[in-house]
Amino acid sequence: MRVSSVHHAYRKRRVLCGIDFDLEPGIIAGIVGENGAGKTTLLKILAGELAPTSGMVTHRGRFGYCPQNVVLNRALTARQHLKFFQAAYRLPDLRWAEEVMDLLGFTQYTEDRPSSLSGGTQQKLNLTLALMHDPDLLLLDEPYQGFDWDTYLRFWKLAARLRDRGRSVLVVSHLAYDTDRLDQIWRLQAGALLPMASATP
């Protein structure tokens, strides 16, 4: 993904002021910033959900998007969600989705409806849906909100697995304590994206 001179404003309030960065294959990257810094606005622009005031975002392959707020149909079971997205993505089978569910410890909930699941378990389904078409890039907004410690560790194991497969992961969060797990990290501050030191050699 290449992001070139992205600006965005809500009326007279400038939120993003010339964002530029490249994300290469096989990278786990992070963007951190305080609440209200414009992280979600940037992520919506990267996912094509919001048009920037100016600038360009170029995707070199398929991408998956996992927003902070889960977008699920309360009337469908988890497996029915998978079947719906399988048809939408025209996937021949659900083998990769089932592998992701197993990695996240979600398999036992496939016949449950979202209304009966905890917030963290709903987020596992949200993440599975974003990944089931095996995207080249995964965009995540506060992905582990509501995760318990075991699921949190499972999430990073999955992220490392994706990187090993040549996929890229971009995590957007207000917390910066995962820097040792990231290959690249930026801070969004005053509308600008500033590189930070990563603990990954």
Side-chain angles (χ1 to χ4, degrees):
M1 179 176 65
R2 171 165 292 175
V3 182
S4 304
S5 192
V6 165
H7 293 254
H8 195 73
Y10 295 103
R11 295 187 178 180
K12 294 183 179 180
R13 185 170 69 91
R14 298 176 66 193
V15 179
L16 304 175
C17 306
I19 303 297
D20 292 281
F21 70 94
D22 286 343
L23 196 59
E24 299 297 329
I27 294 293
I28 301 178
I31 295 176
V32 299
E34 297 179 355
N35 291 331
K39 301 184 304 298
T40 297
T41 295
L42 175 58
L43 194 55
K44 286 181 177 180
I45 290 172
L46 300 183
E49 186 178 345
L50 178 67
T53 303
S54 63
M56 183 177 294
V57 177
T58 304
H59 289 280
R60 304 186 185 99
R62 302 180 308 275
F63 73 90
Y65 174 41
C66 189
Q68 181 177 358
N69 296 320
V70 295
V71 183
L72 303 172
N73 188 321
R74 295 171 63 87
L76 301 180
T77 66
R79 183 161 295 280
Q80 287 170 331
H81 278 86
L82 296 176
K83 288 291 186 180
F84 179 85
F85 278 83
Q86 180 185 8
Y89 288 131
R90 299 181 179 179
L91 301 177
D93 55 58
L94 291 173
R95 284 183 293 179
W96 173 237
E98 290 168 349
E99 189 172 342
V100 171
M101 288 190 296
D102 184 59
L103 287 168
L104 292 173
F106 180 66
T107 306
Q108 67 269 36
Y109 298 103
T110 53
E111 303 308 320
D112 294 354
R113 288 180 169 80
S115 57
S116 68
L117 302 175
S118 68
T121 305
Q122 290 183 37
Q123 187 70 326
K124 292 180 188 181
L125 176 56
N126 210 35
L127 184 53
T128 301
L129 296 176
L131 272 172
M132 62 183 294
H133 63 302
D134 195 16
D136 301 286
L137 168 64
L138 180 62
L139 304 171
L140 302 168
D141 190 0
E142 302 286 359
Y144 29 77
Q145 183 169 291
F147 283 175
D148 57 28
W149 182 246
D150 178 67
T151 304
Y152 172 83
L153 295 178
R154 286 174 177 266
F155 164 80
W156 284 112
K157 183 177 180 180
L158 172 60
R161 172 84 175 274
L162 294 171
R163 176 175 57 191
D164 291 345
R165 298 174 75 238
R167 308 302 189 246
S168 295
V169 179
L170 178 62
V171 176
V172 175
S173 175
H174 68 285
L175 301 172
Y177 54 65
D178 298 313
T179 56
D180 60 324
R181 303 178 186 271
L182 303 173
D183 304 304
Q184 291 179 296
I185 183 169
W186 299 274
R187 177 175 293 281
L188 184 58
Q189 185 175 341
L193 207 57
L194 309 174
M196 296 172 58
S198 171
T200 303

